[in-house]
Amino acid sequence: MKEIILKSQISYYDTCKEFAREFNLGSGDLILTNEYIYKPYFTTLGLNVHTIFQEAYGTGEPTDIMVDAILEAAAKTDCKRIIAIGGGTVIDIAKVMAVSSGDPLDSLYAAPDKIQKKRELVIVPTTCGTGSEVTNISIINRTRLGTKVGLVSPHMYADDAVLVPELLNGLPFAVFATSSIDALVHAVESSLSPKATPFTKLFGYKAIEMIIRGYQKIAAEGIGARLPLMKDFLIASNYAGIAFGTAGCAAVHATSYPLGGTYHVAHGESNYAMFTGVLKNYMEIRQDGEIAVMNQCLKRLLGCPADVVYDRLDELLGAILPKKALRQYGVKQEELAVFTKSVMEQQARLMANNFVPLDADRVLKIYQELY
């Protein structure tokens, strides 16, 4: 059994200037980022690099249409190295760029076992949520299927994952909230996964502790209290990425994808909508094993009895970001069965990591309870 998979070298720099100098950014590099990130942090550095601004090809989370257009643009450069500087959208696209010579995305999904790395890949996250700087999965909304689908290959790991907390200084609170909740979900799901090991749980449970302690400080002192904690949240996100890179995510992610794909709900927020609903259903099926360990961890962190930890967790998360029922996103009652079918047919990779098996009736029940 694989205890932990960590293929990327992890580096830390306080500033973008230090990063650019140490990585010798130059003419052989293509930076995929957003203009609002590049201008304040990199323009003054006078870098001789190629740039692609993701938002010029579409807004929101990555779709197959957006990715194909960016692949075509990247193929016109002579770059040897992809530098991804951004959130989940930029990172997911960059992983595809590193293994594509410009061929359409569908061709990669059709033959994932034939994927090969074409360019070196450096990932610099600008949110504290995805953790995907150290994972080999890219999540794309395949518009023709109507859901998000993961593309996975051992050749999609970054060669270097670089943590630069300076890039989080301007992160809007709403983005901070949804991305850090996403990191919390990664940490919890990976710790409960049947693939979890003592090594992954070391990172997963530490990430849970760091994120919850940070939330408690923010809830007590106000949103400004997050600013001195951004380095901690960035590291916690990375820890959670290391954990789920080996142990995987599960039903929270699987059930969130139809919501995100259909109603364009941000990834972290759609995970949040499903999060404790899935955990409470796990508890209905089984109370011993790793979930008992998780409950004791949450009991200690939240200062409450073990049988109400998920209610108390909902209260804490609600102080950071109010939670919405599915109907508040526009979901219709009759779509719950459609979402369930999509999960059971399209998300087997994730559902295999559930703490306990969930059948279609149970998935539908979860959607109905959260509706």
Side-chain angles (χ1 to χ4, degrees), residues 33-317:
T33 187
N34 301 107
E35 190 171 12
Y36 66 83
I37 293 171
Y38 191 83
K39 278 192 171 181
Y41 293 109
F42 292 95
T43 298
T44 59
L45 301 182
L47 302 177
N48 180 28
V49 296
H50 303 278
T51 57
I52 290 180
F53 296 134
Q54 170 261 312
E55 64 269 32
Y57 296 84
T59 58
E61 296 183 345
T63 66
D64 42 13
I65 297 169
M66 182 194 304
V67 173
D68 281 345
I70 290 176
L71 291 178
E72 184 178 349
K76 296 176 182 177
T77 74
D78 58 352
C79 69
K80 304 295 189 293
R81 187 167 62 170
I82 304 293
I83 314 289
I85 305 172
T89 295
V90 164
I91 293 172
D92 282 348
I93 296 171
K95 289 178 182 178
V96 178
M97 293 168 69
V99 298
S100 171
S101 299
D103 298 327
L105 180 67
D106 283 349
S107 66
L108 298 175
Y109 275 104
D113 56 321
K114 295 183 179 179
I115 289 176
Q116 295 291 326
K117 181 164 279 188
K118 305 292 175 51
R119 304 180 180 95
E120 190 176 342
L121 177 61
V122 178
I123 297 179
V124 188
T126 60
T127 68
C128 48
T130 68
S132 61
E133 67 271 11
V134 290
T135 71
N136 64 332
I137 182 168
S138 176
I139 306 296
I140 308 295
N141 186 358
R142 300 188 70 185
T143 56
R144 287 173 286 277
L145 297 179
T147 190
K148 298 178 182 180
V149 182
L151 181 65
V152 184
S153 169
H155 301 283
M156 289 170 62
Y157 283 105
D159 298 280
D160 290 271
V162 184
L163 306 181
V164 185
E166 180 187 33
L167 285 164
L168 276 66
N169 288 345
L171 193 65
F173 183 77
V175 179
F176 160 79
T178 56
S179 63
S180 56
I181 289 174
D182 188 26
L184 180 62
V185 173
H186 292 157
V188 171
E189 288 211 284
S190 62
S191 297
L192 293 175
S193 168
K195 297 177 185 174
T197 73
F199 293 86
T200 65
K201 286 188 278 191
L202 181 68
F203 285 99
Y205 279 106
K206 184 60 179 178
I208 292 168
E209 178 184 347
M210 293 173 73
I211 293 167
I212 287 181
R213 290 301 188 212
Y215 283 164
Q216 289 170 330
K217 187 172 180 64
I218 294 166
E221 300 178 16
I223 63 174
R226 79 191 186 281
L227 299 176
L229 300 174
M230 296 311 284
K231 178 180 178 180
D232 288 345
F233 274 98
L234 185 61
I235 292 173
S237 170
N238 185 261
Y239 284 175
I242 292 170
F244 90 81
T246 302
C249 291
V252 176
H253 276 71
T255 55
S256 79
Y257 286 154
L259 173 63
T262 304
Y263 288 95
H264 309 293
V265 181
H267 176 65
E269 187 172 354
S270 59
N271 276 337
Y272 177 31
M274 306 304 305
F275 185 28
T276 54
V278 169
L279 297 175
K280 289 177 180 179
N281 273 269
Y282 283 163
M283 283 292 294
E284 290 179 10
I285 299 169
R286 181 181 173 188
Q287 292 80 43
D288 62 344
E290 194 62 38
I291 202 160
V293 178
M294 177 65 67
N295 293 350
Q296 287 300 312
C297 170
L298 295 175
K299 172 186 174 181
R300 174 178 59 83
L301 292 171
L302 298 170
C304 65
D307 60 347
V308 296
V309 289
Y310 298 117
D311 292 326
R312 190 63 58 87
L313 182 58
D314 264 335
E315 291 173 11
L316 177 61
L317 296 181

Side-chain angles (χ1 to χ4, degrees), residues 152 334 348 369:
V152 184
E334 58 269 23
E369 289 171 350

